[in-house]
Amino acid sequence: MQKPFCLIQLHKQYVLSKDANITKEGRIMTQDQLRRANKIVFPVIMVIVGYVLVTLLAFILYGGAANANFKTILQIVASIAAIAVSTFFFVTKRGTKACTYAMLGSASAVYFLVRLVNGTEATGMYIFPIIIAAMVYFDTKMIIGMCAATF
């Protein structure tokens, strides 16, 4: 009699088989796979952080000097820093885990700062595309960390 189909067993069978393409360091993703995943995640991160930056700049331009307080400037600086860090790592270390952690870490830092400083409830939605971007890497520790940061 055949066992019922189980996705967890299939995953374990894939990871433990010789065809799983596990590298010497124990990683499941190769450098080429990381390069392709980073190529997909980079535009997502740029759209999210860029949207935060553009809305904050519009907030200052529309409201004038009254809206240019310390909290708003801090969020703008963090967004610019996240764009710079993500772009630097994407250009220089595209096929490494360092690029992965730099992009997702900087986007998560912007989310955390915006969520901490900003009073708008809709900012809680910014984390969901970042969590979905983390799922591209099949890294359960990263996904669990992102979900924990949400709350």
Side-chain angles (χ1 to χ4, degrees), residues 60-127:
I60 287 178
L61 292 175
Y62 180 71
N67 289 341
N69 57 15
F70 177 73
K71 293 178 180 180
T72 309
I73 300 299
L74 184 65
Q75 293 175 70
I76 289 173
V77 169
S79 298
I80 292 171
I83 290 172
V85 166
S86 296
T87 305
F88 173 76
F89 274 92
F90 182 72
V91 170
T92 59
K93 300 180 185 286
R94 187 177 300 185
T96 63
K97 271 289 205 194
C99 179
T100 301
Y101 292 131
M103 287 192 306
L104 292 175
S106 62
S108 298
V110 169
Y111 164 75
F112 180 72
L113 184 67
V114 167
R115 191 77 173 133
L116 187 67
V117 174
N118 200 334
T120 309
E121 288 299 319
T123 58
M125 295 299 156
Y126 296 159
I127 195 67

Side-chain angles (χ1 to χ4, degrees), residues 8 33 41 53 57-58 60-61 83 94 111 124 126 128 134 146:
I8 295 172
Q33 290 169 329
V41 170
L53 179 63
L57 289 174
I60 287 178
L61 292 175
I83 290 172
R94 187 177 300 185
Y111 164 75
Y126 296 159
F128 292 110
M146 295 280 189

Side-chain angles (χ1 to χ4, degrees), residues 1 9 24 30 36 42 44 131:
M1 181 171 227
Q9 287 177 334
K24 286 186 257 181
T30 63
R36 286 186 303 209
F42 180 70
V44 173
I131 292 173

